[in-house]
Amino acid sequence: MKFIAKTQEDYQKLYNASVQNPQDFWAEFAETNFIWQRKWDKVLDYNFEKAHFRWFEGAKLNITQNCIDRHLPEKAAQTALIFEPNDPNEEAQHISYATLAENVNKTANLLKNLGVQKGDRVCIYLPMIPELAYSVLACARIGAVHSVVFAGFSAQSLADRINDASCKVLITADGGFRGNKTTPLFDIATQALQQCTSIEHLLMVKRCNNVSENDWHKHQQVLPAIKFSFWEKMFAAASAHCPPVWVDAEDPLFILYTSGSTGKPKGMVHTSGGYMVYTNFTFCNVFQYQAGDVYWCTADIGWITGHSYILYGPLSAGATTLMFEGVPSYPDMGRFWQVIEKHKVNIFYTAPTAIRALEQADISFVEKYDLRSLKTLGTVGEPINVEAWEWYNKYIGKNNCPIVDTWWQTETGGIMISNLAGVTPQIPTFATLPLPGVQACLLDENGKEISHLPAEGKLCIKYPWPSMARTIYGNHQRFVDTYFSAFKGYYFTGDGCRCDVQGNFRITGRVDDIVIVSGHNLGTAEIENAINQHPNIIESAVVGFPHAIKGNAIYAFVSCLHKPENEALLQKEIAASVSELIGPIAKPDKIQVCYALPKTRSGKIMRRILRKIAAGEFDSFGDISTLLNPECVAEIIKGAK
Ligand code: WTA
């Protein structure tokens, strides 16, 4: 079978085949497109109720052999990775497949020299520099499990993630450049490590030269049980030959944390075989990548989009993938467009929040640059509004580039619902149709599948796909409860969705206690926990509210022990505490001090009302007769106005 759809009929054929006989479909694709050290015994073994999913059981492989070695020697000189630094005056790096192989092998040996073995967890807390890519791939090379923590998270968040996975090694940098700021990563990391007992080794890459020898020794003295090493020294000493370690298809490849409805982030576990197969399949089909194209996904490798569509998907397809260290607004709002011109980017994949922010800037920032290299545009991470879609289409795509609206999740590992660039029709604000292999459906309030279209319901998937997460690290029951218990026999996404008469999906947003701010998932419970640390706070309720650029922003309603003397100060302290405990991305935009929060008789805060108030809707609250303290609602409205 031809597995890359070039026409709508191809798509339909592939889709039908994938539904009629999913296991043969994936087996044939897997067999003909990858190198396996040993073939599988069974394509798929699954049980929805137990959340038990195993793909390609018994197969042995190494994903880096498929992402790197197999492109050699033919593509030895082709650029695998373009590194564009934060500062436009610093030279970009073009890292060929041969050099990538050498650097990943060296890094793999470096890790081995630190005692890292197959199955060990390695935490990676790095900015978007090539060493991040090398570290991720080096872990995969030796069968170690990487846990990348976004370099914008706080010391507390980093410590929680290291402890949850009992990581053995932490790879960090002295600092990270983002726009005109330098994040003191080494300081944050060493602060985190004071709470971590599993880490044996800290490895630091020099990027910003912001750590003096004195600081280095001082921190080392505080953490006597941990060995500190410089990346550069160990890297230089490491051999450039490291044979891949064969792993089972179902061995864990990585853990990546995502916010949950309860306070604690969930360590989603992805495995090697199915993840490799599906990220490659979706990358090739959705973006229609052609040999020689330069592809740029602006996500951070700290998120799933970076894992699947900066590294594994593109590299397994032998693509040239660009990695950008900086931010869209530095040195000015033309930075993305300048990078596109400079590297002649053909495929550009970004988030609606970035588009909305750039849309606000003067159009001259776009017009200054030659964007004629662009062929395909993409969006991911949150629903795109029609204005942003139209602006993107007109000013960036010049009405001449298909836009793929890709819906997926950390949990799904790869793109699930999307049009295929130039192959299947696009509809502004619709993710459109499920990809081959994805049996998406809508369920109603009673958990019944809706077959009559158009419809609105909860988005679920009713058959396993190869790159689905396999468990939550250390807590399989939570995995079962979160995704497989609400509706028996289905994976529940947590998203609400509409479907038009043709079966096109339009995601409407989360239906649980997760708010997506600037494309980042934030758990409201986790933010409430952070706010409640403040000595004057009795309790808090955090909700999302619509925001023109971020999509959603955070609104915190708090009630205090004593009436605060200085409300502005209290708000500042709360913001600082959230920033410290989670990270600056979780800081509330609005904090409102209330005498009391609306509660049901059973003592539950009625967030539904607070969501409305936060959105500026001050009437039609529905039935509030079950409230214990209805009088507080008018007070809160007064305070919100
Ligand atoms: C949302 C990011 C609308 C959705 C890859 C999902 C989207 C959550 C889209 C997952 C899209 C992602 N249209 N909403 N194209 N893509 N979402 O885990 O609510 O960071 O559940 O994965 O983002 O976010 P996550």
Side-chain angles (χ1 to χ4, degrees):
M1 203 181 331
K2 200 179 101 205
F3 281 95
I4 313 290
K6 291 289 162 201
T7 63
Q8 211 175 332
E9 295 69 50
D10 289 350
Y11 160 77
Q12 204 54 58
K13 258 194 220 151
L14 283 175
Y15 191 82
N16 293 346
S18 80
V19 171
Q20 275 150 18
N21 206 332
Q23 300 191 24
D24 287 355
F25 177 86
W26 288 117
E28 191 187 331
F29 178 69
E31 187 156 5
T32 49
N33 285 277
F34 303 92
I35 300 175
W36 302 87
Q37 176 66 11
R38 180 187 187 279
K39 229 191 108 175
W40 48 90
D41 302 314
K42 195 169 180 192
V43 183
L44 170 66
D45 187 39
Y46 76 101
N47 178 322
F48 266 97
E49 244 159 87
K50 295 189 180 140
H52 165 91
F53 305 98
R54 298 184 75 81
W55 283 91
F56 309 116
E57 181 96 75
K60 288 208 179 285
L61 75 151
N62 188 290
I63 195 169
T64 67
Q65 186 189 31
N66 285 279
C67 287
I68 304 172
D69 306 45
R70 69 156 155 169
H71 305 313
L72 303 174
E74 295 77 28
K75 292 190 172 179
Q78 185 203 302
T79 301
L81 212 60
I82 301 175
F83 169 63
E84 174 62 32
N86 177 61
D87 178 353
N89 297 316
E90 188 184 328
E91 212 170 311
Q93 291 180 36
H94 288 79
I95 299 149
S96 67
Y97 271 96
T99 307
L100 181 67
E102 186 182 328
N103 291 344
V104 169
N105 276 278
K106 280 181 125 178
T107 309
N109 279 323
L110 182 172
L111 291 176
K112 280 209 271 192
N113 293 340
L114 297 182
V116 177
Q117 296 177 352
K118 179 167 180 273
D120 286 343
R121 275 81 57 213
V122 173
C123 180
I124 305 175
Y125 184 64
L126 282 175
M128 284 284 284
I129 53 178
E131 288 80 359
L132 169 54
Y134 305 153
S135 302
V136 165
L137 296 165
C139 287
R141 185 107 184 136
I142 60 172
V145 180
H146 54 79
S147 167
V148 182
V149 176
F150 172 61
F153 275 121
S154 67
Q156 187 61 50
S157 296
L158 176 61
D160 291 344
R161 286 159 174 75
I162 289 173
N163 290 336
D164 186 73
S166 308
C167 296
K168 191 167 173 180
V169 169
L170 171 65
I171 308 178
T172 189
D174 52 0
F177 293 127
R178 272 176 76 78
N180 55 15
K181 282 199 222 120
T182 304
T183 313
L185 297 176
F186 175 72
D187 287 354
I188 299 171
T190 48
Q191 200 188 326
L193 289 186
Q194 293 177 20
Q195 302 179 43
C196 305
T197 51
S198 61
I199 295 284
E200 294 171 9
H201 222 116
L202 173 144
L203 189 64
M204 188 189 85
V205 181
K206 264 195 199 157
R207 174 63 181 141
C208 304
N209 282 315
N210 59 332
V211 172
S212 68
E213 208 156 303
N214 208 3
D215 291 341
W216 174 260
H217 291 300
K218 228 171 54 202
H219 283 295
Q220 217 168 359
Q221 274 163 11
V222 181
L223 299 163
I226 298 173
K227 194 157 181 310
F228 283 36
S229 304
F230 288 111
W231 169 286
E232 287 74 10
K233 225 163 144 184
M234 298 208 62
F235 183 79
S239 143
H241 176 69
C242 179
V245 169
W246 306 120
V247 302
D248 290 334
E250 279 296 333
D251 277 341
L253 173 63
F254 64 86
I255 302 170
L256 184 61
Y257 288 84
T258 188
S259 298
S261 289
T262 59
K264 206 169 165 265
K266 303 169 289 199
M268 305 312 306
V269 177
H270 284 279
T271 58
S272 267
Y275 178 80
M276 169 180 79
V277 166
Y278 193 77
T279 51
N280 175 280
F281 176 82
T282 49
F283 174 75
C284 295
N285 270 293
V286 171
F287 299 105
Q288 295 286 311
Y289 184 88
Q290 301 286 316
D293 283 349
V294 174
Y295 162 88
W296 180 19
C297 163
T298 69
D300 192 291
I301 292 176
W303 312 114
I304 191 68
T305 308
H307 281 59
S308 302
Y309 298 109
I310 294 178
L311 296 180
Y312 289 114
L315 293 175
S316 70
T320 298
T321 169
L322 192 152
M323 181 173 173
F324 175 47
E325 184 185 29
V327 294
S329 54
Y330 178 82
D332 60 43
M333 298 297 267
R335 183 66 160 131
F336 273 5
W337 323 128
Q338 181 249 333
V339 173
I340 291 174
E341 176 184 282
K342 175 174 174 189
H343 295 290
K344 302 199 167 45
V345 171
N346 305 109
I347 304 173
F348 179 66
Y349 187 32
T350 195
T353 186
I355 299 170
R356 287 190 296 263
L358 295 169
E359 187 190 337
Q360 310 296 313
D362 198 279
I363 197 66
S364 63
F365 284 113
V366 177
E367 286 167 348
K368 230 161 80 191
Y369 299 104
D370 180 355
L371 303 183
R372 279 175 301 176
S373 58
L374 286 175
K375 296 197 301 194
T376 296
L377 303 176
T379 71
V380 58
E382 56 184 315
I384 185 164
N385 49 307
V386 87
E387 299 77 22
W389 193 97
E390 278 167 358
W391 185 85
Y392 197 31
N393 185 41
K394 181 168 169 197
Y395 292 103
I396 308 305
K398 319 289 181 197
N399 294 313
N400 204 21
C401 298
I403 300 177
V404 290
D405 181 345
T406 66
W407 174 84
W408 58 296
Q409 308 178 296
T410 305
E411 294 85 339
T412 69
I415 299 169
M416 301 290 280
I417 304 181
S418 174
N419 51 314
L420 312 183
V423 172
T424 61
Q426 63 190 24
I427 309 169
T429 76
F430 279 73
T432 72
L433 300 171
L435 297 198
V438 177
Q439 300 190 29
C441 59
L442 299 186
L443 300 192
D444 68 15
E445 287 309 308
N446 305 315
K448 274 198 69 174
E449 222 174 298
I450 309 176
S451 53
H452 190 76
L453 300 178
E456 178 154 6
K458 292 182 173 156
L459 180 60
C460 292
I461 316 287
K462 62 175 166 183
Y463 195 86
W465 65 100
S467 69
M468 64 198 301
R470 302 297 196 262
T471 191
I472 291 174
Y473 192 81
N475 196 345
H476 192 70
Q477 192 54 46
R478 187 174 179 201
F479 186 58
V480 174
D481 294 345
T482 310
Y483 304 105
F484 301 95
S485 299
F487 307 109
K488 281 217 161 30
Y490 296 88
Y491 165 78
F492 173 44
T493 64
D495 279 329
C497 187
R498 279 190 213 131
C499 212
D500 72 8
V501 274
Q502 273 92 35
N504 289 297
F505 290 86
R506 181 181 199 274
I507 315 302
T508 50
R510 302 290 311 185
V511 293
D512 56 9
D513 291 327
I514 290 171
V515 181
I516 303 192
V517 179
S518 298
H520 305 316
N521 288 11
L522 300 174
T524 53
E526 199 185 355
I527 303 176
E528 287 165 8
N529 289 346
I531 294 176
N532 297 348
Q533 304 282 313
H534 192 282
N536 194 18
I537 299 295
I538 304 173
E539 60 183 354
S540 58
V542 163
V543 299
F545 72 101
H547 184 281
I549 291 171
K550 301 180 187 181
N552 295 290
I554 295 294
Y555 199 129
F557 296 90
V558 303
S559 70
C560 296
L561 215 51
H562 334 278
K563 187 172 170 9
E565 279 171 26
N566 181 341
E567 253 189 51
L569 180 66
L570 176 79
Q571 287 165 338
K572 233 168 131 182
E573 287 168 354
I574 289 175
S577 150
V578 172
S579 196
E580 192 190 316
L581 292 169
I582 305 173
I585 49 174
K587 267 198 290 201
D589 266 50
K590 284 193 188 163
I591 299 169
Q592 184 180 338
V593 178
C594 314
Y595 295 105
L597 300 176
K599 289 203 177 162
T600 62
R601 281 169 209 281
S602 58
K604 267 180 98 172
I605 299 173
M606 215 188 246
R607 285 186 173 68
R608 173 169 67 80
I609 294 178
L610 298 175
R611 264 186 222 116
K612 286 220 152 169
I613 297 176
E617 296 165 24
F618 298 130
D619 41 41
S620 69
F621 290 124
D623 181 15
I624 58 167
S625 63
T626 56
L627 278 185
L628 189 68
N629 51 353
E631 68 287 348
C632 77
V633 174
E635 271 309 327
I636 296 175
I637 291 175
K638 217 162 90 193
K641 274 185 177 164

